[in-house]
């Protein structure tokens, strides 16, 4: 019987790719990625003190004094928009008015603030992009402003793109659900196009 062959030793080229960090239970509960939780943890750590130092309890877990919540959220780029919003957040995470917030509660409000910031910034991006198509004069007037075929032609000219009128018509019909070129493309239709294109989720 011939001897069994040994498998060649694993080389660097066959090594598995490094795995990305796994979501913790806390990250899953708050619907955030492991990377977002790491950012939140870093901000928490900047302002954290031991619970024993912050209050009269014997606990040695880390907490943030409520007076530092605004600064910690600002470090994340998710500061409350107003004093009233900050008060609401503090009432949520420190209902007994103990003056400190634990890590789990901080993750919850930070995740909420980051989510709100993301939605707001997406809305602003859609509005800005829509205004590029309809022009400043019509885009700032509010109401039922729509992208017209002439707007698409103008943008194509400005970008020095040679796009046939039929392609532009097809783009409009795709965007407005086939309701006609004369109907135009509303801001809502435009946002739908951006989401379908993968610009936003």
């Amino acid at each position: 019987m011939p001897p069994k062959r040994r498998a060649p030793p694993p080389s660097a080229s066959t090594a598995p790719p490094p795995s990305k960090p796994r979501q913790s239970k806390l990250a899953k509960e708050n619907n955030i990625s492991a990377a977002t939780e790491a950012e939140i943890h870093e901000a928490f750590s900047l302002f954290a003190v031991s619970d024993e130092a912050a209050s009269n309890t014997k606990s040695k877990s880390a907490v943030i004094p409520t007076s530092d919540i605004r600064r910690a959220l600002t470090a994340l780029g998710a500061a409350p928009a107003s004093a009233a919003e900050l008060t609401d957040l503090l009432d949520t995470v420190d209902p007994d008015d103990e003056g400190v917030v634990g890590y789990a509660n901080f993750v919850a409000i930070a995740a909420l603030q980051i989510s709100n910031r993301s939605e707001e910034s997406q809305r602003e991006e859609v509005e800005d992009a829509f205004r590029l198509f309809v022009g400043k004069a019509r885009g700032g007037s509010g109401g039922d402003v729509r992208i017209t075929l002439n707007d698409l032609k103008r943008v194509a000219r400005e970008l020095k793109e040679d796009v046939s009128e039929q392609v532009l018509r097809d783009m409009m019909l795709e965007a407005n659900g086939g309701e006609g070129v004369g109907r135009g493309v509303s801001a809502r239709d435009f946002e739908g196009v951006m989401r379908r294109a993968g610009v936003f989720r």
Side-chain angles (χ1 to χ4, degrees):
M1 217 166 160
K4 292 184 179 181
R5 292 185 183 179
R6 287 184 147 182
S11 66
S13 63
T14 61
S19 62
K20 63 180 186 178
R22 294 182 60 189
Q23 262 186 317
S24 70
K25 181 179 176 186
L26 193 56
K28 288 178 185 176
E29 288 172 359
N30 289 288
N31 198 25
I32 57 174
S33 67
T36 301
E37 185 185 12
E39 287 178 38
I40 292 171
H41 186 269
E42 185 177 338
F44 181 85
S45 298
L46 288 172
F47 299 96
V49 296
S50 73
D51 195 14
E52 189 175 12
S55 65
N56 295 331
T57 65
K58 299 282 184 196
S59 169
K60 291 189 180 182
S61 60
V63 294
I64 293 181
T66 54
S67 60
D68 287 337
I69 293 293
R70 181 180 194 79
R71 293 189 316 172
L73 290 172
T74 301
L76 285 169
S82 65
E85 185 179 1
L86 177 62
T87 301
D88 288 344
L89 290 172
L90 292 177
D91 288 345
T92 302
V93 295
D94 188 20
D96 298 331
D97 205 22
E98 294 176 2
V100 293
V101 176
Y103 179 67
N105 287 339
F106 181 73
V107 169
I109 63 166
L112 179 65
Q113 287 294 103
I114 288 171
S115 171
N116 289 342
R117 176 192 68 194
S118 297
E119 290 172 14
E120 185 177 314
S121 67
Q122 285 180 6
R123 189 171 36 256
E124 288 174 5
E125 282 185 58
V126 168
E127 290 171 4
D128 290 346
F130 185 77
R131 269 191 236 104
L132 289 173
F133 282 91
V134 297
K136 292 178 183 175
R138 289 183 24 230
S141 63
D144 192 28
V145 178
R146 294 174 179 268
I147 297 172
T148 65
L149 184 59
N150 286 335
D151 292 326
L152 289 181
K153 288 178 181 178
R154 177 184 48 80
V155 170
R157 265 192 322 271
E158 288 173 3
L159 295 175
K160 296 181 173 60
E161 293 290 331
D162 185 24
V163 183
S164 72
E165 185 171 324
Q166 186 57 47
V167 170
L168 296 175
R169 287 175 176 275
D170 291 343
M171 289 169 61
M172 290 188 71
L173 292 172
E174 171 76 24
N176 69 20
E179 292 187 18
V181 174
R183 178 184 170 271
V185 177
S186 69
R188 175 176 266 180
D189 295 336
F190 184 77
E191 183 176 357
V193 168
M194 292 183 78
R195 289 188 188 285
R196 286 192 304 271
V199 176
F200 303 120
R201 285 186 231 154

